[in-house]
Amino acid sequence: MRKVVLLFIPVVLLLSGCSADSLARQEILSRFSKASYLQMTAEIKCEYENEQREYKLTCHYVPDGLCVVSVVEPEELLGLVAEFEGDEKRLSYQDTVLDAPLLGMEGLSPAGLLPLLCDAIRDGYIMEENGEECNDIPAWRITFLEEGEKESLYYTVWFSKDDGRMLAAEVTTGTVLNFKLAFTDFIFGDILTE
């Protein structure tokens, strides 16, 4: 009987450690759903069929509101701004405004990627999750599914276990990896209470 009790104690401690990690993941996702806005800067690598392009973008994301994405790099696109509000999409450069209803396959483009990623985190179906380091930082790796018009979209995101910020992400259309993201700055806006 004594051996059974001694074996039971480590099992209980192990299980209680797992539940603490699960709570931390739930808290991270809760912060995304309750934040009044998200502010981020990301370096994005786009995997096109015959070439790779890189961009650095900032995004001010407001759930169900106006989302503004600005180009930081490359320098020749500095000043280009994309605005998203509901189904409306606009591109502007200085005083010129361009209507941009279609932005790439399944609506994916570097300009629209960050708002779509935030939407997927808030509304997407969780396909898989596990603990995994990202650049030596303890992280949650979670894949969200969103159904596109033609193919399924998979958003895989690494969240810091320490403060919940996004560290990195990958976006896949069907089975093709289209985008890799590295976040250099991330801020949660005010957390709304119910």
Side-chain angles (χ1 to χ4, degrees):
M1 178 69 169
R2 186 173 182 203
K3 289 181 184 179
V4 172
V5 171
L6 291 175
L7 288 174
F8 183 70
I9 291 172
V11 170
V12 170
L13 291 174
L14 181 64
L15 291 175
S16 64
C18 292
S19 64
D21 282 348
S22 295
L23 182 60
R25 179 193 55 80
Q26 287 297 335
E27 287 174 2
I28 291 169
L29 296 179
S30 176
R31 289 181 78 185
F32 272 85
S33 66
K34 293 180 179 177
S36 60
Y37 70 90
L38 302 170
Q39 182 74 35
M40 65 203 79
T41 303
E43 296 170 349
I44 301 175
K45 292 183 180 180
C46 309
E47 304 287 340
Y48 292 101
E49 191 172 315
N50 296 322
E51 66 177 309
Q52 185 180 68
R53 294 185 187 176
E54 297 184 17
Y55 302 91
K56 187 172 186 177
L57 306 175
T58 63
C59 177
H60 182 82
Y61 173 85
V62 177
D64 304 318
L66 178 66
C67 300
V68 179
V69 179
S70 304
V71 176
V72 176
E73 294 176 4
E75 190 172 322
E76 57 269 17
L77 297 178
L78 187 64
L80 183 65
V81 175
E83 295 179 342
F84 304 87
E85 189 166 17
D87 291 335
E88 290 186 36
K89 301 173 179 114
R90 294 177 296 280
L91 285 177
S92 62
Y93 181 75
Q94 296 172 351
D95 294 331
T96 305
V97 177
L98 307 170
D99 185 28
L102 299 175
L103 293 173
M105 181 78 157
E106 294 294 348
L108 292 180
S109 74
L113 188 61
L114 293 171
L116 290 172
L117 175 63
C118 292
D119 286 344
I121 292 168
R122 291 171 48 87
D123 305 322
Y125 176 77
I126 295 177
M127 292 293 297
E128 65 177 354
E129 59 185 305
N130 64 314
E132 182 178 294
E133 285 196 353
C134 179
N135 299 322
D136 298 324
I137 298 172
W140 281 110
R141 178 186 177 274
I142 304 175
T143 299
F144 303 89
L145 168 66
E146 290 268 299
E147 290 297 338
E149 290 180 17
K150 298 179 182 176
E151 294 188 85
S152 297
L153 303 172
Y154 300 94
Y155 298 86
T156 301
V157 185
W158 285 261
F159 300 94
S160 167
K161 283 188 176 182
D162 181 41
D163 58 14
R165 64 190 161 92
M166 287 194 284
L167 301 170
E170 294 179 347
V171 181
T172 303
T173 305
T175 59
V176 178
L177 176 63
N178 299 110
F179 301 98
K180 292 182 180 179
L181 298 85
F183 292 88
T184 58
D185 185 39
F186 188 88
I187 298 170
F188 286 101
D190 298 328
I191 302 299
L192 302 175
T193 56
E194 296 179 9

